[in-house]
C-alpha cells in the first residue's frame, strides 16, 4: 500500500457518501437474496475504490457488520472480514482504468475464488479435508457468483461510474 496515496482525513461529505455505499451494498444484497450469489456488492465496492481508494474499507467493514447484525455471528463472519477487503486490494491498482473488461474480470475472479478464500478458516478449525470439502461443495455457487459478477460489472460499471461522476458534490 502506498502510504502517500492514503489521505487520513475524511470529510463529512465522504462519511455520508461512504455510508450510503455501505447501505447500497446491504440493500442490493438483500434485494437479490432469493438468487444465491447474485448481488451488486462487488460492483459497489469497485465503484467505491474508483472514487475513494483505500477509504472503501470503511463501507466494506460496515457492510460486514450489518451482515452480522442481520444473520448472526458464525465462522462465515471471519471470512467476510478478509474476503471483501481482498477485492478492494486487488481493484486498487486499476482504479484509474476506464477498461470495463478489467473490472469485470477482477469481479469474476473474485466470485469464482470466493469459496476457496472462505474455506481457509476450516483449515484451522477442522483440517485440510474439511476445508477442501467445504470448497468443493460450493463450487456451483462460486460459478454462479463469478458469472453474475462478470455480467453485472461489465454492464453496470460504466453507466454507474458516469452517473457517480456527474452527481459528485466535490
Amino acid at each position: 500500500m502506498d502510504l502517500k496515496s492514503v489521505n487520513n482525513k475524511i470529510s463529512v461529505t465522504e462519511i455520508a457518501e461512504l455510508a450510503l455505499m455501505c447501505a447500497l451494498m446491504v440493500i442490493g444484497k438483500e434485494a437479490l437474496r432469493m438468487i444465491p450469489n447474485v448481488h451488486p456488492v462487488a460492483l459497489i465496492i469497485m465503484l467505491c475504490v474508483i472514487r475513494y481508494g483505500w477509504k472503501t474499507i470503511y463501507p466494506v467493514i460496515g457492510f460486514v457488520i450489518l451482515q452480522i447484525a442481520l444473520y448472526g455471528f458464525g465462522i462465515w463472519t471471519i471470512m467476510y472480514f478478509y474476503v471483501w477487503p481482498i477485492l478492494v486490494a486487488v481493484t486498487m491498482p486499476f482504479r484509474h482504468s476506464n477498461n470495463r473488461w478489467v473490472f469485470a474480470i477482477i469481479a469474476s475472479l473474485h466470485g469464482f475464488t470466493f469459496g476457496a478464500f472462505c474455506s481457509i478458516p476450516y483449515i484451522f478449525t477442522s483440517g485440510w479435508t474439511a476445508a477442501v470439502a467445504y470448497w468443493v461443495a460450493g463450487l456451483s455457487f462460486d460459478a454462479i457468483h463469478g458469472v453474475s459478477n462478470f455480467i453485472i460489472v461489465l454492464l453496470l460499471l460504466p453507466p454507474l461510474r458516469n452517473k457517480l461522476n456527474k452527481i459528485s458534490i466535490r
Side-chain angles (χ1 to χ4, degrees):
M1 175 167 63
D2 179 14
L3 294 178
K4 292 179 184 177
S5 67
V6 176
N7 181 355
N8 291 330
K9 294 180 182 178
I10 186 166
S11 70
V12 173
T13 302
E14 286 177 320
I15 292 170
E17 291 173 355
L18 291 168
L20 178 61
M21 292 300 193
C22 174
L24 288 173
M25 283 185 238
V26 174
I27 292 166
K29 189 166 188 286
E30 290 304 304
L32 294 172
R33 74 178 177 196
M34 70 296 269
I35 310 168
N37 290 350
V38 177
H39 51 72
V41 176
L43 169 69
I44 296 166
I45 288 173
M46 290 179 151
L47 286 167
C48 282
V49 168
I50 290 166
R51 182 167 173 93
Y52 304 104
W54 287 110
K55 292 176 185 176
T56 302
I57 291 298
Y58 298 130
V60 167
I61 298 303
F63 167 74
V64 173
I65 291 168
L66 289 172
Q67 290 295 289
I68 294 167
L70 289 170
Y71 296 105
F73 188 85
I75 196 164
W76 68 271
T77 56
I78 296 166
M79 305 160 190
Y80 264 39
F81 276 114
Y82 65 83
V83 85
W84 293 112
I86 286 171
L87 180 60
V88 174
V90 171
T91 305
M92 274 300 292
F94 305 98
R95 70 183 283 218
H96 298 295
S97 173
N98 287 319
N99 188 339
R100 73 166 85 186
W101 294 94
V102 169
F103 291 101
I105 290 168
I106 292 169
S108 180
L109 290 174
H110 186 261
F112 277 111
T113 59
F114 199 88
F117 286 128
C118 289
S119 68
I120 293 170
Y122 290 102
I123 295 169
F124 303 104
T125 62
S126 305
W128 283 96
T129 306
V132 171
Y134 176 87
W135 175 57
V136 170
L139 284 175
S140 60
F141 291 99
D142 291 340
I144 293 167
H145 199 179
V147 170
S148 66
N149 273 0
F150 182 84
I151 293 168
I152 290 169
V153 171
L154 187 69
L155 296 178
L156 297 179
L157 184 80
L160 290 176
R161 185 180 197 174
N162 290 337
K163 290 291 182 192
L164 193 59
N165 289 336
K166 286 181 183 176
I167 62 170
S168 175
I169 300 173
R170 294 178 187 185

